[in-house]
C-alpha cells in the first residue's frame, strides 16, 4: 500500500518547500542609509577685522539692524560660505554676497558712468594733445580705468573705475557683457536686415553677429536703430551696418550690461549706486 504524499504550504503537490513572502526569488539586499554629506567648516572670521553687519551697513546695504537680520536669516555669504553669527569679523578684501549679489566693501573702490562727448579720444592721456577722458577726470586722485573704448566720433556710456579685476571681466569676451547702441543709419531699412545681422556677417577679421536689432524710428532717407551685441572688436557696429549696406551717420552707446546712460549729460560723471555696482559684478560673474 502506497503511503500518502506529504503536502506542504499552500497545497503544492511538488513536495518542495515553498518560500514565504511576496513571491520574489531574490534575497533582499540590506539597505544602507546614506550618510548626510557634511560640508567642511570654514572659518571666515578674522579677529582683527570689522564686524560684518557694520561693514554691510557702511556699504549701503541697510541699517545695522537690517544687516543683522540678513545675517541671521542666512542671506549673507563671505568667501562663498553662509554666515549666520552676528559676531563674525571680516576684512574689507574678503568677498561678500547678499542674496547672491556682490557687495563691495572696499571704500577706496569707485565706479562711475561717464558720457563721452563726440571728438574725445578714449584714453586718460593723449600724446598728440587731443581732448581725452583725462581732461574731464584729471582732478580725481584715483587712477581710473575706462572699460572698453569708444571711437572719437562715437559718443555715450563708458564705465570708469579703479577696480582692475572688474574692468578686465567687463571687457573680456568670455563673459559676454552686452553693450547697447543707438545708430542713425541711411534708410529705408529692409525687413530682413535684423535676421541677417543676427545670423552673422563675414568681416575681414572673421564672422560677427548681433544679439538683437530693432528699428526705433524711421524717417525719409534715414532710420534710428538699436543694436545689442557683446562683441568688442574695433568699429564693430559701424562695420556690421556698413556690411549690410547701411552706413552709420551717428552712433551712441546707451548701455553696458545693467548700467544705463540715462540722463547723464555729455562730459559728466555719475557715481554708480551700490545696487548698480552689485549688478555689474553679477554681469561679470564675480
Amino acid at each position: 500500500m502506497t503511503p500518502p504524499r506529504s503536502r506542504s504550504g499552500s497545497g503544492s503537490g511538488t513536495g518542495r518547500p515553498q518560500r514565504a513572502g511576496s513571491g520574489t526569488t531574490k534575497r533582499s539586499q540590506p539597505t544602507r542609509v546614506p550618510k548626510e554629506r557634511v560640508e567642511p567648516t570654514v572659518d571666515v572670521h578674522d579677529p582683527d577685522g570689522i564686524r560684518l553687519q557694520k561693514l554691510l551697513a557702511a556699504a549701503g546695504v541697510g541699517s545695522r539692524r537690517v544687516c543683522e537680520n540678513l545675517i541671521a536669516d542666512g542671506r549673507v555669504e563671505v568667501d562663498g560660505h553662509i554666515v549666520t553669527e552676528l559676531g563674525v569679523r571680516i576684512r574689507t578684501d574678503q568677498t561678500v554676497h547678499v542674496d547672491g549679489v556682490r557687495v563691495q566693501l572696499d571704500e577706496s573702490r569707485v565706479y562711475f558712468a561717464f558720457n563721452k562727448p563726440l571728438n574725445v579720444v578714449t584714453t586718460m592721456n593723449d600724446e598728440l594733445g587731443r581732448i581725452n577722458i583725462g581732461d574731464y577726470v584729471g582732478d580725481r586722485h584715483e587712477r581710473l580705468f575706462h572699460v572698453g573704448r569708444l571711437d572719437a566720433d562715437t559718443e555715450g556710456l563708458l564705465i570708469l573705475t579703479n577696480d582692475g579685476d572688474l574692468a578686465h571681466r567687463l571687457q573680456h569676451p568670455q563673459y559676454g557683457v552686452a553693450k547697447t547702441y543707438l545708430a542713425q543709419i541711411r534708410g529705408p531699412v529692409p525687413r530682413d536686415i535684423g535676421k541677417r545681422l543676427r545670423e552673422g556677417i563675414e568681416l575681414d577679421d572673421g564672422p560677427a553677429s548681433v544679439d538683437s536689432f530693432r528699428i526705433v524710428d524711421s524717417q525719409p532717407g534715414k532710420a534710428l536703430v538699436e543694436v545689442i551685441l557683446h562683441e568688442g572688436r574695433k568699429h564693430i557696429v559701424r562695420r556690421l551696418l556698413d556690411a549690410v549696406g547701411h552706413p552709420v551717420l551717428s552712433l551712441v552707446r546707451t548701455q553696458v550690461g545693467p548700467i544705463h546712460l540715462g540722463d547723464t549729460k555729455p562730459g559728466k560723471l555719475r557715481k554708480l549706486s551700490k545696487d548698480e555696482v552689485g549688478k555689474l559684478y553679477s554681469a561679470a560673474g564675480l
Side-chain angles (χ1 to χ4, degrees), residues 154-201:
T154 300
E155 57 186 312
L157 178 61
L158 278 172
I159 304 297
L160 303 183
T161 180
N162 59 351
D163 188 334
D165 290 339
L166 177 63
H168 170 73
R169 287 265 191 140
L170 291 174
Q171 296 177 85
H172 201 290
Q174 173 184 346
Y175 301 101
V177 179
K179 289 89 175 174
T180 302
Y181 296 83
L182 285 178
Q184 191 173 75
I185 61 176
R186 299 191 185 280
V189 180
R191 291 184 177 181
D192 68 338
I193 186 173
K195 180 181 178 182
R196 292 174 61 192
L197 289 168
R198 287 189 295 270
E199 290 178 346
I201 304 295

Side-chain angles (χ1 to χ4, degrees), residues 96 119 239:
V96 175
N119 303 318
R239 292 162 60 201

Side-chain angles (χ1 to χ4, degrees), residues 55 59 92-94 103-111 274:
L55 285 175
T92 57
D93 62 348
Q94 290 179 263
V103 178
Q104 179 54 263
L105 303 177
D106 189 348
E107 294 182 356
S108 69
R109 300 297 187 190
V110 294
Y111 307 85
K274 299 293 184 182

Side-chain angles (χ1 to χ4, degrees), residues 202-224:
E202 189 67 37
L203 302 176
D204 55 4
D205 58 350
S209 62
V210 306
D211 300 326
S212 175
F213 176 90
R214 70 182 180 94
I215 300 174
V216 177
D217 189 27
S218 183
Q219 300 177 7
K222 60 183 179 180
L224 184 67

Side-chain angles (χ1 to χ4, degrees), residues 5-18:
R5 292 183 179 179
S6 61
R7 296 182 180 272
S8 173
S10 57
S12 172
T14 63
R16 296 177 183 175
Q18 298 298 304

